[in-house]
Amino acid sequence: GISQTRLKPALQGGADVALPAGFYVGTWLSTIKWIKDAGGGANVEWDIYGGWKNEVAKDLTLDVGVLRYQYPSADLAVSPNTTELYAALTYGPATLKYSHSVTNLFGFKDSKNSGYVDLSATFEVGPAIQLIPHIGYQKVAHYSDFSYTDYSFTVGKDFGGFFVSAAVVGADTKSINGVKAYASPANGKDLGRTGFVVAVKKVF
């Protein structure tokens, strides 16, 4: 629910490798602007993750793992690099996931043990058409003014291997002395305001 590109487009890509017995590893990258807006040097977020995912009961899938958010050349006073442990349960179309930071969270000093709860679902409503509602809550430890609820509602369709989606996305960011907690240092815009996001994804 918080834009990391000053409400501008982003280029993203990733790769996943399925291993025996339900184990997996993967990586994902995205262009960003928020590190430079904060006075650092990173243009990219680089995620590295691995875990185990398997059906543990009829129609119930468990996914547990570790995720590292890396910001090469960030050069900020407090490192934004973050490590989270996560666990998710999927039943039918719905997934409930909890992520717990074992380091500081994205450059917030003394914010270890922050947590994020995510409830999402994927509904097939027509030939290759999906509806994906989502709501989440980010608790930033010791920074209640920066904690928030985020939400999105996505409609997507597969067009011969290209997944095209449109989403309404936003967050209930708080204000501090009349200024939004997640206001962009570059233009003052609320990076959590409700917006419309269009995406095109190709899976190889």
Side-chain angles (χ1 to χ4, degrees):
I2 305 294
S3 173
Q4 298 190 40
T5 55
R6 222 183 294 144
L7 305 174
K8 301 297 183 180
L11 180 63
Q12 303 174 338
D16 294 286
V17 178
L19 302 172
F23 291 95
Y24 61 88
V25 293
T27 188
W28 183 86
L29 297 97
S30 177
T31 56
I32 59 171
K33 296 183 184 296
W34 71 272
I35 296 286
K36 283 205 164 182
D37 288 347
N43 293 307
V44 172
E45 174 186 316
W46 178 23
D47 299 350
I48 305 166
Y49 52 87
W52 177 85
K53 183 177 182 179
N54 230 322
E55 189 174 65
V56 293
K58 182 174 173 56
D59 300 324
L60 183 66
T61 299
L62 174 65
D63 181 5
V64 293
V66 58
L67 169 60
R68 175 69 171 179
Y69 301 84
Q70 197 74 24
Y71 300 92
S73 305
D75 195 27
L76 294 176
V78 179
S79 173
N81 299 333
T82 300
T83 300
E84 289 182 336
L85 305 179
Y86 60 84
L89 284 172
T90 298
Y91 183 78
T95 298
L96 179 64
K97 182 177 181 180
Y98 176 69
S99 302
H100 188 86
S101 69
V102 294
T103 63
N104 284 333
L105 184 77
F106 305 128
F108 286 97
K109 186 178 180 181
D110 300 324
S111 60
K112 182 179 177 181
N113 295 320
S114 296
Y116 182 69
V117 180
D118 170 358
L119 178 61
S120 302
T122 301
F123 298 101
E124 301 284 345
V125 295
I129 300 176
Q130 295 181 344
L131 296 182
I132 309 170
H134 153 84
I135 189 167
Y137 177 72
Q138 175 68 67
K139 177 184 177 182
V140 184
H142 305 124
Y143 293 86
S144 60
D145 285 339
F146 288 87
S147 299
Y148 60 88
T149 298
D150 72 282
Y151 51 86
S152 65
F153 186 81
T154 304
V155 179
K157 180 175 174 56
D158 187 275
F159 291 93
F162 287 90
F163 187 74
V164 179
S165 64
V168 176
V169 181
D172 69 339
T173 53
K174 300 177 180 66
S175 294
I176 305 172
N177 297 323
V179 178
K180 284 291 187 178
Y182 287 92
S184 168
N187 54 28
K189 293 182 179 179
D190 176 17
L191 299 180
R193 71 181 187 179
T194 301
F196 187 67
V197 178
V198 176
V200 179
K201 180 170 70 172
K202 172 65 175 175
V203 178
F204 300 92

